Amino acid sequence: MNTLLCLAGLLAVCGLASAGVELTEDQKQLMGQLREACMGETGVDAAALDGCLSGNFPDDPKLKCYMKCVYQQMTVMDDDGMVDADMMLTMLPEDIQPKAEGILNACKDVHGADACDNAMLFNKCLYAKAPEVRTSSILAFEWRPFF
């Protein structure tokens, strides 16, 4: 089940649903559960999450830590609080890796003040580097499992 969650989350992060990758109902359900769990853990306001859909990333500690929670639950944040883009890439199906690699590599070296800040900066980078897939990235899903 954790592998299923990781795959679904990584597809989301990399914005690959628009690249012909279909998520199963189980994956969507797991992602929804992850969203709820991280919202509960951090106390982030749903309005802050909704703002991310249009690229509005407020300097909100709860939002930053929500993003950290998502990456930690997906097991793609290392002990130093850095999002492990290389780990993400290896967990994706081989046919998706070429499209994801450039996006992930462009964002893998972002550094913030702490793990929560790193997660926020990584998400902002994904948003900036992958405009063609914004509508299906971690920032926005038609069914909005994370945000």
mmCIF file of all heavy atoms in Angstrom, residues 18-56:
data_model
loop_
_atom_site.group_PDB
_atom_site.id
_atom_site.type_symbol
_atom_site.label_atom_id
_atom_site.label_comp_id
_atom_site.label_asym_id
_atom_site.label_seq_id
_atom_site.Cartn_x
_atom_site.Cartn_y
_atom_site.Cartn_z
ATOM 1 N N SER A 18 -1.033 14.334 -16.951
ATOM 2 C CA SER A 18 -1.335 14.877 -18.272
ATOM 3 C C SER A 18 -0.459 14.258 -19.353
ATOM 4 O O SER A 18 -0.659 14.501 -20.524
ATOM 5 C CB SER A 18 -1.155 16.392 -18.282
ATOM 6 O OG SER A 18 0.207 16.721 -18.094
ATOM 7 N N ALA A 19 0.523 13.461 -18.958
ATOM 8 C CA ALA A 19 1.390 12.801 -19.928
ATOM 9 C C ALA A 19 0.867 11.412 -20.262
ATOM 10 O O ALA A 19 1.601 10.561 -20.728
ATOM 11 C CB ALA A 19 2.808 12.718 -19.370
ATOM 12 N N GLY A 20 -0.388 11.168 -19.996
ATOM 13 C CA GLY A 20 -0.988 9.900 -20.341
ATOM 14 C C GLY A 20 -0.961 8.882 -19.222
ATOM 15 O O GLY A 20 -1.282 7.726 -19.435
ATOM 16 N N VAL A 21 -0.584 9.287 -18.027
ATOM 17 C CA VAL A 21 -0.544 8.389 -16.889
ATOM 18 C C VAL A 21 -1.859 8.518 -16.148
ATOM 19 O O VAL A 21 -2.214 9.597 -15.689
ATOM 20 C CB VAL A 21 0.625 8.744 -15.948
ATOM 21 C CG1 VAL A 21 0.607 7.850 -14.729
ATOM 22 C CG2 VAL A 21 1.941 8.644 -16.688
ATOM 23 N N GLU A 22 -2.569 7.429 -16.070
ATOM 24 C CA GLU A 22 -3.849 7.436 -15.387
ATOM 25 C C GLU A 22 -3.684 6.876 -13.978
ATOM 26 O O GLU A 22 -3.080 5.832 -13.795
ATOM 27 C CB GLU A 22 -4.869 6.595 -16.160
ATOM 28 C CG GLU A 22 -5.252 7.192 -17.490
ATOM 29 C CD GLU A 22 -5.982 8.507 -17.366
ATOM 30 O OE1 GLU A 22 -6.785 8.657 -16.428
ATOM 31 O OE2 GLU A 22 -5.740 9.385 -18.211
ATOM 32 N N LEU A 23 -4.209 7.565 -13.001
ATOM 33 C CA LEU A 23 -4.181 7.080 -11.632
ATOM 34 C C LEU A 23 -5.413 6.218 -11.387
ATOM 35 O O LEU A 23 -6.499 6.529 -11.862
ATOM 36 C CB LEU A 23 -4.176 8.249 -10.649
ATOM 37 C CG LEU A 23 -3.012 9.225 -10.762
ATOM 38 C CD1 LEU A 23 -3.174 10.327 -9.734
ATOM 39 C CD2 LEU A 23 -1.686 8.532 -10.593
ATOM 40 N N THR A 24 -5.211 5.151 -10.647
ATOM 41 C CA THR A 24 -6.326 4.278 -10.318
ATOM 42 C C THR A 24 -7.174 4.929 -9.230
ATOM 43 O O THR A 24 -6.740 5.869 -8.555
ATOM 44 C CB THR A 24 -5.822 2.911 -9.811
ATOM 45 O OG1 THR A 24 -5.187 3.105 -8.539
ATOM 46 C CG2 THR A 24 -4.872 2.255 -10.804
ATOM 47 N N GLU A 25 -8.348 4.401 -9.034
ATOM 48 C CA GLU A 25 -9.209 4.908 -7.964
ATOM 49 C C GLU A 25 -8.544 4.707 -6.601
ATOM 50 O O GLU A 25 -8.658 5.549 -5.722
ATOM 51 C CB GLU A 25 -10.584 4.251 -8.014
ATOM 52 C CG GLU A 25 -11.436 4.712 -9.178
ATOM 53 C CD GLU A 25 -11.637 6.227 -9.213
ATOM 54 O OE1 GLU A 25 -11.943 6.827 -8.158
ATOM 55 O OE2 GLU A 25 -11.461 6.819 -10.293
ATOM 56 N N ASP A 26 -7.843 3.579 -6.428
ATOM 57 C CA ASP A 26 -7.130 3.340 -5.177
ATOM 58 C C ASP A 26 -6.055 4.393 -4.944
ATOM 59 O O ASP A 26 -5.889 4.886 -3.832
ATOM 60 C CB ASP A 26 -6.478 1.947 -5.164
ATOM 61 C CG ASP A 26 -7.483 0.828 -4.969
ATOM 62 O OD1 ASP A 26 -8.616 1.100 -4.521
ATOM 63 O OD2 ASP A 26 -7.122 -0.326 -5.251
ATOM 64 N N GLN A 27 -5.319 4.746 -5.991
ATOM 65 C CA GLN A 27 -4.290 5.771 -5.867
ATOM 66 C C GLN A 27 -4.912 7.115 -5.507
ATOM 67 O O GLN A 27 -4.413 7.829 -4.639
ATOM 68 C CB GLN A 27 -3.484 5.882 -7.164
ATOM 69 C CG GLN A 27 -2.595 4.688 -7.411
ATOM 70 C CD GLN A 27 -2.008 4.677 -8.801
ATOM 71 O OE1 GLN A 27 -2.599 5.176 -9.765
ATOM 72 N NE2 GLN A 27 -0.823 4.104 -8.932
ATOM 73 N N LYS A 28 -5.998 7.445 -6.173
ATOM 74 C CA LYS A 28 -6.674 8.705 -5.867
ATOM 75 C C LYS A 28 -7.173 8.723 -4.426
ATOM 76 O O LYS A 28 -7.050 9.728 -3.729
ATOM 77 C CB LYS A 28 -7.844 8.922 -6.829
ATOM 78 C CG LYS A 28 -7.416 9.224 -8.246
ATOM 79 C CD LYS A 28 -8.627 9.358 -9.157
ATOM 80 C CE LYS A 28 -8.234 9.531 -10.599
ATOM 81 N NZ LYS A 28 -9.406 9.664 -11.477
ATOM 82 N N GLN A 29 -7.710 7.596 -3.976
ATOM 83 C CA GLN A 29 -8.210 7.512 -2.601
ATOM 84 C C GLN A 29 -7.060 7.664 -1.602
ATOM 85 O O GLN A 29 -7.185 8.385 -0.614
ATOM 86 C CB GLN A 29 -8.928 6.192 -2.384
ATOM 87 C CG GLN A 29 -9.493 6.044 -0.990
ATOM 88 C CD GLN A 29 -10.213 4.715 -0.790
ATOM 89 O OE1 GLN A 29 -10.176 3.836 -1.621
ATOM 90 N NE2 GLN A 29 -10.856 4.596 0.350
ATOM 91 N N LEU A 30 -5.945 6.999 -1.864
ATOM 92 C CA LEU A 30 -4.789 7.109 -0.977
ATOM 93 C C LEU A 30 -4.250 8.527 -0.931
ATOM 94 O O LEU A 30 -3.868 9.035 0.122
ATOM 95 C CB LEU A 30 -3.692 6.141 -1.410
ATOM 96 C CG LEU A 30 -3.951 4.680 -1.110
ATOM 97 C CD1 LEU A 30 -2.912 3.797 -1.785
ATOM 98 C CD2 LEU A 30 -3.966 4.439 0.384
ATOM 99 N N MET A 31 -4.243 9.190 -2.073
ATOM 100 C CA MET A 31 -3.768 10.569 -2.108
ATOM 101 C C MET A 31 -4.711 11.484 -1.334
ATOM 102 O O MET A 31 -4.270 12.406 -0.650
ATOM 103 C CB MET A 31 -3.597 11.016 -3.557
ATOM 104 C CG MET A 31 -2.436 10.282 -4.211
ATOM 105 S SD MET A 31 -2.322 10.583 -5.972
ATOM 106 C CE MET A 31 -1.899 12.307 -5.975
ATOM 107 N N GLY A 32 -5.995 11.224 -1.429
ATOM 108 C CA GLY A 32 -6.958 11.994 -0.646
ATOM 109 C C GLY A 32 -6.753 11.787 0.845
ATOM 110 O O GLY A 32 -6.841 12.731 1.639
ATOM 111 N N GLN A 33 -6.444 10.555 1.234
ATOM 112 C CA GLN A 33 -6.176 10.264 2.639
ATOM 113 C C GLN A 33 -4.909 10.977 3.102
ATOM 114 O O GLN A 33 -4.860 11.495 4.222
ATOM 115 C CB GLN A 33 -6.043 8.754 2.849
ATOM 116 C CG GLN A 33 -7.336 8.007 2.678
ATOM 117 C CD GLN A 33 -7.146 6.501 2.660
ATOM 118 O OE1 GLN A 33 -6.043 5.980 2.687
ATOM 119 N NE2 GLN A 33 -8.268 5.783 2.579
ATOM 120 N N LEU A 34 -3.913 11.014 2.240
ATOM 121 C CA LEU A 34 -2.674 11.723 2.558
ATOM 122 C C LEU A 34 -2.940 13.210 2.743
ATOM 123 O O LEU A 34 -2.445 13.832 3.681
ATOM 124 C CB LEU A 34 -1.640 11.493 1.460
ATOM 125 C CG LEU A 34 -0.320 12.234 1.593
ATOM 126 C CD1 LEU A 34 0.375 11.891 2.896
ATOM 127 C CD2 LEU A 34 0.577 11.899 0.410
ATOM 128 N N ARG A 35 -3.757 13.767 1.873
ATOM 129 C CA ARG A 35 -4.107 15.189 1.989
ATOM 130 C C ARG A 35 -4.762 15.469 3.337
ATOM 131 O O ARG A 35 -4.394 16.397 4.046
ATOM 132 C CB ARG A 35 -5.051 15.588 0.853
ATOM 133 C CG ARG A 35 -5.481 17.053 0.905
ATOM 134 C CD ARG A 35 -6.443 17.367 -0.243
ATOM 135 N NE ARG A 35 -6.641 18.786 -0.396
ATOM 136 C CZ ARG A 35 -7.647 19.472 0.127
ATOM 137 N NH1 ARG A 35 -8.564 18.851 0.853
ATOM 138 N NH2 ARG A 35 -7.765 20.761 -0.066
ATOM 139 N N GLU A 36 -5.739 14.642 3.682
ATOM 140 C CA GLU A 36 -6.448 14.843 4.944
ATOM 141 C C GLU A 36 -5.520 14.682 6.145
ATOM 142 O O GLU A 36 -5.584 15.451 7.106
ATOM 143 C CB GLU A 36 -7.636 13.884 5.041
ATOM 144 C CG GLU A 36 -8.746 14.184 4.056
ATOM 145 C CD GLU A 36 -9.307 15.588 4.194
ATOM 146 O OE1 GLU A 36 -9.566 16.031 5.329
ATOM 147 O OE2 GLU A 36 -9.470 16.255 3.156
ATOM 148 N N ALA A 37 -4.659 13.661 6.095
ATOM 149 C CA ALA A 37 -3.734 13.420 7.204
ATOM 150 C C ALA A 37 -2.781 14.592 7.385
ATOM 151 O O ALA A 37 -2.562 15.058 8.518
ATOM 152 C CB ALA A 37 -2.957 12.130 6.973
ATOM 153 N N CYS A 38 -2.236 15.097 6.306
ATOM 154 C CA CYS A 38 -1.282 16.207 6.411
ATOM 155 C C CYS A 38 -1.983 17.516 6.764
ATOM 156 O O CYS A 38 -1.399 18.354 7.458
ATOM 157 C CB CYS A 38 -0.459 16.325 5.130
ATOM 158 S SG CYS A 38 0.753 14.983 4.952
ATOM 159 N N MET A 39 -3.208 17.689 6.327
ATOM 160 C CA MET A 39 -3.968 18.868 6.758
ATOM 161 C C MET A 39 -4.191 18.811 8.265
ATOM 162 O O MET A 39 -4.033 19.819 8.961
ATOM 163 C CB MET A 39 -5.310 18.957 6.026
ATOM 164 C CG MET A 39 -5.196 19.435 4.600
ATOM 165 S SD MET A 39 -6.823 19.586 3.800
ATOM 166 C CE MET A 39 -7.463 21.048 4.609
ATOM 167 N N GLY A 40 -4.546 17.632 8.770
ATOM 168 C CA GLY A 40 -4.763 17.475 10.200
ATOM 169 C C GLY A 40 -3.498 17.670 11.005
ATOM 170 O O GLY A 40 -3.512 18.280 12.074
ATOM 171 N N GLU A 41 -2.395 17.155 10.496
ATOM 172 C CA GLU A 41 -1.110 17.257 11.196
ATOM 173 C C GLU A 41 -0.614 18.693 11.283
ATOM 174 O O GLU A 41 -0.057 19.106 12.294
ATOM 175 C CB GLU A 41 -0.065 16.397 10.495
ATOM 176 C CG GLU A 41 1.300 16.428 11.153
ATOM 177 C CD GLU A 41 2.296 15.534 10.459
ATOM 178 O OE1 GLU A 41 1.963 14.359 10.165
ATOM 179 O OE2 GLU A 41 3.428 15.997 10.218
ATOM 180 N N THR A 42 -0.825 19.456 10.224
ATOM 181 C CA THR A 42 -0.245 20.804 10.163
ATOM 182 C C THR A 42 -1.227 21.914 10.502
ATOM 183 O O THR A 42 -0.815 23.022 10.812
ATOM 184 C CB THR A 42 0.332 21.078 8.764
ATOM 185 O OG1 THR A 42 -0.740 21.032 7.804
ATOM 186 C CG2 THR A 42 1.408 20.077 8.402
ATOM 187 N N GLY A 43 -2.515 21.645 10.376
ATOM 188 C CA GLY A 43 -3.515 22.678 10.611
ATOM 189 C C GLY A 43 -3.589 23.713 9.503
ATOM 190 O O GLY A 43 -4.127 24.803 9.692
ATOM 191 N N VAL A 44 -3.079 23.370 8.325
ATOM 192 C CA VAL A 44 -3.109 24.308 7.207
ATOM 193 C C VAL A 44 -4.554 24.620 6.816
ATOM 194 O O VAL A 44 -5.433 23.759 6.885
ATOM 195 C CB VAL A 44 -2.314 23.767 5.996
ATOM 196 C CG1 VAL A 44 -3.004 22.577 5.365
ATOM 197 C CG2 VAL A 44 -2.069 24.852 4.959
ATOM 198 N N ASP A 45 -4.785 25.830 6.429
ATOM 199 C CA ASP A 45 -6.098 26.279 5.980
ATOM 200 C C ASP A 45 -6.319 25.839 4.541
ATOM 201 O O ASP A 45 -5.432 25.983 3.696
ATOM 202 C CB ASP A 45 -6.170 27.807 6.086
ATOM 203 C CG ASP A 45 -7.550 28.349 5.835
ATOM 204 O OD1 ASP A 45 -8.112 28.091 4.746
ATOM 205 O OD2 ASP A 45 -8.063 29.042 6.718
ATOM 206 N N ALA A 46 -7.488 25.322 4.247
ATOM 207 C CA ALA A 46 -7.804 24.883 2.885
ATOM 208 C C ALA A 46 -7.662 26.013 1.883
ATOM 209 O O ALA A 46 -7.285 25.784 0.730
ATOM 210 C CB ALA A 46 -9.211 24.293 2.831
ATOM 211 N N ALA A 47 -7.901 27.247 2.299
ATOM 212 C CA ALA A 47 -7.765 28.393 1.391
ATOM 213 C C ALA A 47 -6.311 28.569 0.955
ATOM 214 O O ALA A 47 -6.046 28.956 -0.192
ATOM 215 C CB ALA A 47 -8.285 29.666 2.049
ATOM 216 N N ALA A 48 -5.382 28.285 1.839
ATOM 217 C CA ALA A 48 -3.960 28.372 1.473
ATOM 218 C C ALA A 48 -3.619 27.317 0.432
ATOM 219 O O ALA A 48 -2.876 27.588 -0.517
ATOM 220 C CB ALA A 48 -3.080 28.216 2.707
ATOM 221 N N LEU A 49 -4.191 26.127 0.589
ATOM 222 C CA LEU A 49 -3.975 25.076 -0.400
ATOM 223 C C LEU A 49 -4.591 25.469 -1.735
ATOM 224 O O LEU A 49 -3.991 25.275 -2.784
ATOM 225 C CB LEU A 49 -4.569 23.754 0.082
ATOM 226 C CG LEU A 49 -3.960 23.160 1.347
ATOM 227 C CD1 LEU A 49 -4.696 21.879 1.720
ATOM 228 C CD2 LEU A 49 -2.490 22.913 1.203
ATOM 229 N N ASP A 50 -5.786 26.021 -1.690
ATOM 230 C CA ASP A 50 -6.464 26.432 -2.922
ATOM 231 C C ASP A 50 -5.668 27.487 -3.677
ATOM 232 O O ASP A 50 -5.636 27.490 -4.903
ATOM 233 C CB ASP A 50 -7.868 26.961 -2.616
ATOM 234 C CG ASP A 50 -8.823 25.878 -2.156
ATOM 235 O OD1 ASP A 50 -8.525 24.681 -2.372
ATOM 236 O OD2 ASP A 50 -9.858 26.226 -1.570
ATOM 237 N N GLY A 51 -5.007 28.384 -2.947
ATOM 238 C CA GLY A 51 -4.200 29.425 -3.587
ATOM 239 C C GLY A 51 -3.058 28.855 -4.403
ATOM 240 O O GLY A 51 -2.639 29.447 -5.404
ATOM 241 N N CYS A 52 -2.551 27.707 -3.984
ATOM 242 C CA CYS A 52 -1.447 27.076 -4.711
ATOM 243 C C CYS A 52 -1.852 26.679 -6.123
ATOM 244 O O CYS A 52 -1.014 26.595 -7.018
ATOM 245 C CB CYS A 52 -0.949 25.854 -3.959
ATOM 246 S SG CYS A 52 -0.211 26.227 -2.368
ATOM 247 N N LEU A 53 -3.128 26.446 -6.319
ATOM 248 C CA LEU A 53 -3.610 26.055 -7.639
ATOM 249 C C LEU A 53 -3.288 27.095 -8.696
ATOM 250 O O LEU A 53 -3.104 26.775 -9.858
ATOM 251 C CB LEU A 53 -5.122 25.817 -7.600
ATOM 252 C CG LEU A 53 -5.592 24.667 -6.721
ATOM 253 C CD1 LEU A 53 -7.103 24.701 -6.569
ATOM 254 C CD2 LEU A 53 -5.130 23.347 -7.289
ATOM 255 N N SER A 54 -3.217 28.363 -8.290
ATOM 256 C CA SER A 54 -2.930 29.440 -9.235
ATOM 257 C C SER A 54 -1.537 30.021 -9.031
ATOM 258 O O SER A 54 -1.241 31.103 -9.518
ATOM 259 C CB SER A 54 -3.991 30.537 -9.110
ATOM 260 O OG SER A 54 -3.980 31.064 -7.799
ATOM 261 N N GLY A 55 -0.691 29.310 -8.309
ATOM 262 C CA GLY A 55 0.676 29.770 -8.125
ATOM 263 C C GLY A 55 0.862 30.726 -6.972
ATOM 264 O O GLY A 55 1.925 31.320 -6.821
ATOM 265 N N ASN A 56 -0.141 30.873 -6.137
ATOM 266 C CA ASN A 56 -0.041 31.745 -4.974
ATOM 267 C C ASN A 56 0.453 30.908 -3.798
ATOM 268 O O ASN A 56 -0.305 30.147 -3.206
ATOM 269 C CB ASN A 56 -1.395 32.383 -4.659
ATOM 270 C CG ASN A 56 -1.331 33.281 -3.458
ATOM 271 O OD1 ASN A 56 -0.272 33.712 -3.021
ATOM 272 N ND2 ASN A 56 -2.484 33.584 -2.894
#
